[in-house]
Amino acid sequence: MNDAALPDSRVDLGIDDAPDMSPDVVGDPATDPEPDALDPSPADFSDVANSLPSTPAGVQLTWLIGMVNASAAGTYQLTQEDYDAHFAKSFRNKLPLADFSNSLLISYESLAPMDVLGYEEDTATDGAMWAQVHSSGFSGWARVGTVLEAGTGLIVWVGVATSPDLDPAFGPLAANQIGLYPQAQYEAANVAGFVVEAVDRGTGSSFDPPITGTVDAKYRYVRLTLPPGTGEVGIKATHTDGQVNWNFGPHLKAGKDRQWVAVYPATAFPSYASSVGLTTVAGKAQVWGVVYWDRGLKPWSLDFDDQNVGCATIAADPALDRVYYASPPLPDASATSTPWNNPSWYAFNVEPVPHTFEVQATGGPLVPSPFPLAADAVTVIQMWYDSTIWPTNPTNEDCGH
């Protein structure tokens, strides 16, 4: 449903049969001023969200939620005047009213009616906010967010994130739990019912007893409870066709919520390999990696400064025949480093023994501890530069971002 990877602050929907409404759909906080913006529309819906503050972001979010509820109920139709009065020109240029009404608005209406419960105080600002809502249309809990354009106070970004932590059936994440959003993005499949397991980070072996969970149907989400003192873990996610996927990364540990893990089908890596003239070999391991910079943002931050690390290269020990970098979304034999807009890489037909993968970027190198690889399995590796060690993104200035 989404791009291959989403850092913590870029969350996505997990609603069955809903179109993609991830925060990356539209909007760009860095936009040109719009001094000729219209005055706020008379249709302000100010009575629907009394629990939101009267900041510019709170006022716009109140209007947005009220507008969606009224539109879904058939008591209001969004006009061009109101669209111009509330959405920034850059947003409207990317998504004219007719397109907005036939895509995002319909998707948001699937949540209506929405009752506002509160908002994320830790990350709310005058220009950005997440509202906490209960959705009768979805019969669940979610967050609706917006970011405003500096200078005009008009909406430049909107997003929705399903939120099991607001649901009494789940509640807030416990300190010894990890919350996961498995993603079967290769075939855009529904992952409800998939089984995932926490495994030892160093060996890939199961805990005793095994720690497993089943992805729920409402949120497409699963929580695992880890033994006391457990640090970083691996996540084994098995596709319904039997393909085993191992996921590793520094954010896979207790206390972290909404962490994505990939679930590839058996057809994925043969297809990826064929795009560069290769054939996958039985008994070998297949690898997909991604490189990020961890800025230490709070979980619901609406700060979208880039976390991707472009123009990075990967070395391995034991050495590989070749690393293929992406030309999104596929591996590209001509690419020589990670692309900034999808900082990922592939390795095919790797010996199924532990490997160290080193990232070299402007601020590098980054050398995580070795990752276990398994025969006939896909290993997904998230590699994060930590801002406490690398205070700036190690992507070089000429990388095109």
Side-chain angles (χ1 to χ4, degrees):
M1 182 170 65
N2 289 47
D3 290 339
L6 295 172
D8 288 19
S9 62
R10 300 197 181 196
V11 290
D12 70 320
L13 277 175
I15 299 176
D16 288 341
D17 302 320
D20 186 351
M21 292 183 284
S22 67
D24 287 331
V25 171
V26 290
D28 181 359
T31 57
D32 294 329
E34 186 178 343
D36 58 343
L38 300 176
D39 291 334
S41 162
D44 62 7
F45 304 105
S46 59
D47 60 337
V48 301
N50 294 326
S51 59
L52 296 184
S54 58
T55 61
V59 170
Q60 288 286 27
L61 200 48
T62 295
W63 175 87
L64 177 69
I65 293 169
M67 182 272 291
V68 170
N69 285 346
S71 181
T75 59
Y76 170 78
Q77 182 174 351
L78 182 61
T79 65
Q80 185 67 56
E81 181 182 24
D82 281 1
Y83 196 49
D84 293 348
H86 289 276
F87 288 87
K89 186 180 294 182
S90 61
F91 187 106
R92 302 192 317 263
N93 287 343
K94 292 181 179 180
L95 205 63
L97 174 60
D99 294 334
F100 176 84
S101 297
N102 291 322
S103 58
L104 281 188
L105 183 55
I106 291 175
S107 298
Y108 281 49
E109 287 176 350
S110 70
L111 304 176
M114 291 180 281
D115 295 318
V116 177
L117 310 176
Y119 67 101
E120 293 303 316
E121 296 186 44
D122 284 352
T123 51
T125 66
D126 283 355
M129 184 181 297
W130 284 106
Q132 303 168 342
V133 304
H134 178 263
S135 160
S136 295
F138 165 50
S139 298
W141 282 255
R143 287 172 173 85
V144 180
T146 190
V147 174
L148 309 186
E149 183 179 61
T152 68
L154 299 181
I155 298 170
V156 73
W157 176 93
V158 292
V160 172
T162 56
S163 301
D165 63 298
L166 301 178
D167 189 330
F170 284 95
L173 187 80
N176 63 338
Q177 292 181 319
I178 182 172
L180 304 171
Y181 272 110
Q183 301 283 316
Q185 70 271 11
Y186 177 79
E187 75 267 60
N190 183 343
V191 296
F194 280 37
V195 175
V196 300
E197 178 182 1
V199 297
D200 184 271
R201 163 63 175 81
T203 65
S205 59
S206 296
F207 287 91
D208 184 15
I211 302 170
T212 63
T214 302
V215 181
D216 87 306
K218 178 180 289 187
Y219 296 102
R220 300 180 190 174
Y221 171 83
V222 61
R223 282 185 183 170
L224 301 176
T225 300
L226 304 180
T230 304
E232 183 183 327
V233 296
I235 299 295
K236 178 183 178 181
T238 303
H239 198 281
T240 52
D241 68 4
Q243 178 62 60
V244 174
N245 297 264
W246 304 92
N247 287 260
F248 298 101
H251 285 50
L252 297 178
K253 58 186 177 183
K256 290 291 187 177
D257 204 3
R258 304 189 62 92
Q259 298 304 303
W260 71 271
V261 291
V263 190
Y264 286 106
T267 54
F269 270 75
S271 175
Y272 291 147
S274 68
S275 71
V276 290
L278 299 176
T279 301
T280 54
V281 176
K284 301 295 186 181
Q286 315 302 330
V287 182
W288 182 82
V290 65
V291 186
Y292 291 126
W293 175 53
D294 183 356
R295 301 174 56 229
L297 298 175
K298 294 181 179 180
W300 292 100
S301 172
L302 283 165
D303 182 345
F304 292 145
D305 285 351
D306 191 68
Q307 291 183 286
N308 297 345
V309 177
C311 297
T313 57
I314 306 295
D317 183 16
L320 303 178
D321 290 339
R322 178 160 186 182
V323 170
Y324 292 87
Y325 300 98
S327 178
L330 298 174
D332 183 349
S334 66
T336 58
S337 61
T338 58
W340 170 76
N341 58 339
N342 186 344
S344 56
W345 55 275
Y346 299 79
F348 301 102
N349 300 326
V350 182
E351 288 298 322
V353 297
H355 278 66
T356 298
F357 295 102
E358 174 182 314
V359 186
Q360 181 64 58
T362 300
L366 170 64
V367 190
S369 58
F371 298 95
L373 304 184
D376 301 315
V378 174
T379 300
V380 176
I381 299 172
Q382 297 185 48
M383 304 170 80
W384 290 81
Y385 281 85
D386 190 327
S387 60
T388 62
I389 302 172
W390 293 275
T392 59
N393 189 321
T395 301
N396 70 55
E397 294 182 359
D398 298 324
C399 198
H401 62 294

